[in-house]
Amino acid sequence: MTPLQTRQHPLPLSSRQDWCWQWMRSYPVDSTPVEATETLSLRGPLDIGALRDTLAEIETRHEALRLRLAAPPGPDPSAAWPGQTLRPDPGALTVLPVPPQEATAEATRILARPLDLTDRMTRATLLRADPHEHLLVMQFHHLVVDGACHPLFRDLLAEGYARRVRRAPDTGQGRRRSEPESYTALIAREGTPAARSAVRERAAALARDLRAYGSGDPLPGDAGAVDRDTRFGSVPLGVPADRTRRLLRGSRTERVTLHTVLLAALARAVATEYDRDRLVCSVYTHGRTTPAAHETLGLFSNVVSARLDTAPAPLPDFLRSVHDRVRDAAHDVDLPFTEVASRVLPRPSDGGAYCRSALAHVELRLTGVTGWLPVDQHRPPAFPVPELAATALDIQAPFTPPSFNSREQALACAGTLFATLDLADGALVGALWYEHRYHDGERLARIAERYGDFLTELAPSP
């Protein structure tokens, strides 16, 4: 039993949860839920008891899935962290019969209902269309789960279910998983006086560096046009499969990652357009710093800030510089976002939260390859049960554009450019998103063109 499991008083945030708390407190309490969802289509005879027991085992072994808030967040954006407690018991699996033609619509309705975070931050619902057709709808709040958890959750579900129905032969050669890392033990380690003192010193040093690189000095735009309701436009950044293959070869030649190449291209394009020789870029790191953490469901990822020098330089030197700066930024995964932001930015006038992108000029999310999540999030689980086939479905709650608690938070978000890229079927698919009232669309189109020119420089057409 870990030290914090025996305590009755609420637990503090982990260093990884801090940025997510700031994120969710930037919006009104009734805005779009900050959740990660997982919907699996299960075709074939299903042993619901075995599925229920498997889900209970997963929650029991992975502490983050049993965390809950000690009090409601409340409508006040300046509300302090209410603390969290660890439920002693796993959650129930709700089984609902549904007509086959209504299954997808019912899954959407379930995902649209926010979680009661004071009860639990996960919810499992099984929609039974007929004895051989089910939808498993999982809801995870981002305070306890990140994107890297999804493939692991599917594997644990498949392995545990197969073990219970005794369809997977035990050859002794299967993968032996290590004991998950205790999330409450992570919080306990971070809460020692020595650890807190070290964090304060490192956060102060990082804040000085970020200010020197222009953090707090956003990209210029029409600030007067922005209100609390953000309105985003986008320009495509996708790369066809044949060119993506050349980029992968080019990155290997330069001994950097594809993530480095794409971030370097974007940073140089933005810096050229805005005539800046320094930028701060937000990137995500998976944050799993121990072998056990790789086998653990929980929020370990963090938003870290890479300080980039973007003055003209030979291509190999520039790529190596970006690569090294991203690697250095990853060392800050255990720094709470608030500890840094509060030293760089003025406190919002309403006393509320910091927008999670407020420190950066550019943010990059790359999935499916060498980004923060180097796996296919949509990979279906391989149930070692011949009669049962599983498919991961992309069913989401209805999306509404974010509305912030204050105009200051909306402006902090508007000043950042957001690039999202996913490797799908060998091609890079994605876009550069921008608040279209703050930023000039023609300017963003020029950035996208320069981004393409940089990639061509690295990997020219044959």
Side-chain angles (χ1 to χ4, degrees), residues 166-204:
R166 299 178 181 176
R167 300 297 182 94
D170 186 5
T171 63
Q173 299 178 359
R175 178 172 183 180
R176 298 185 182 277
R177 296 190 179 275
S178 60
E179 189 67 19
E181 180 165 334
S182 165
Y183 209 79
T184 56
L186 169 67
I187 294 174
R189 291 195 302 272
E190 293 180 340
T192 64
R196 290 199 301 267
S197 176
V199 160
R200 287 192 292 268
E201 291 180 10
R202 290 171 54 207

Side-chain angles (χ1 to χ4, degrees), residues 22-29 31 75-78 223 226-230 346-355 358 402-414 435 437:
Q22 293 293 318
W23 179 23
M24 63 180 286
R25 297 306 299 147
S26 295
Y27 308 113
V29 72
S31 67
D76 180 3
S78 65
V226 178
D227 55 32
R228 289 170 52 185
D229 296 320
T230 53
R347 191 72 183 179
S349 60
D350 63 358
Y354 296 102
C355 176
S403 177
F404 288 89
N405 277 315
S406 74
R407 187 169 173 273
E408 288 171 282
Q409 291 161 339
L411 280 173
C413 178
E435 218 291 344
R437 295 168 303 177

